[in-house]
Amino acid sequence: MSGAVAWRRGPWAAVALALVVLGVAWASRVAEGRRSIEACDAAQKRGDAVEAIVFARAAAEARCPWCEAPELGHARLYAIAKDAEGRGDDATAVAAWRAVRAAALAS
């Protein structure tokens, strides 16, 4: 009888384990995206455009269901690029636009 009970529990245990693994992976990805957005904002406040681009790109690449970080990351990159263009800082603008493209291709 214990063999039959173990057999019935086996598929449910596998499904439960898979759901736990997916939940942990999703939560990790969401946290990674949020940390990247926070780091991007901090870099922008310091005036470090290169670091802001790196973190905004990481946020843009942190794709998962119901995550807001990718949209925010793309918006930050777009804003950095447009601001740099307006100031005539071509190197920063090109770096930001390349990060936009790289993040889009990575997803």
Side-chain angles (χ1 to χ4, degrees), residues 30 43 75 80 90 94:
V30 169
I80 292 167
D90 294 335
V94 168

Side-chain angles (χ1 to χ4, degrees), residues 35-101:
R35 279 191 308 269
S36 295
I37 289 295
E38 290 169 3
C40 172
D41 291 344
Q44 283 183 309
K45 286 180 185 175
R46 288 191 313 271
D48 189 349
V50 173
E51 192 170 324
I53 291 169
V54 169
F55 284 118
R57 179 178 170 187
E61 291 177 355
R63 294 185 94 39
C64 63
W66 305 290
C67 291
E68 62 182 11
E71 291 175 26
L72 295 174
H74 279 284
R76 300 288 197 289
L77 287 171
Y78 184 82
I80 292 167
K82 287 304 225 178
D83 180 59
E85 285 177 348
R87 290 183 288 111
D89 185 356
D90 294 335
T92 301
V94 168
W97 286 125
R98 284 185 179 173
V100 169
R101 182 178 185 276

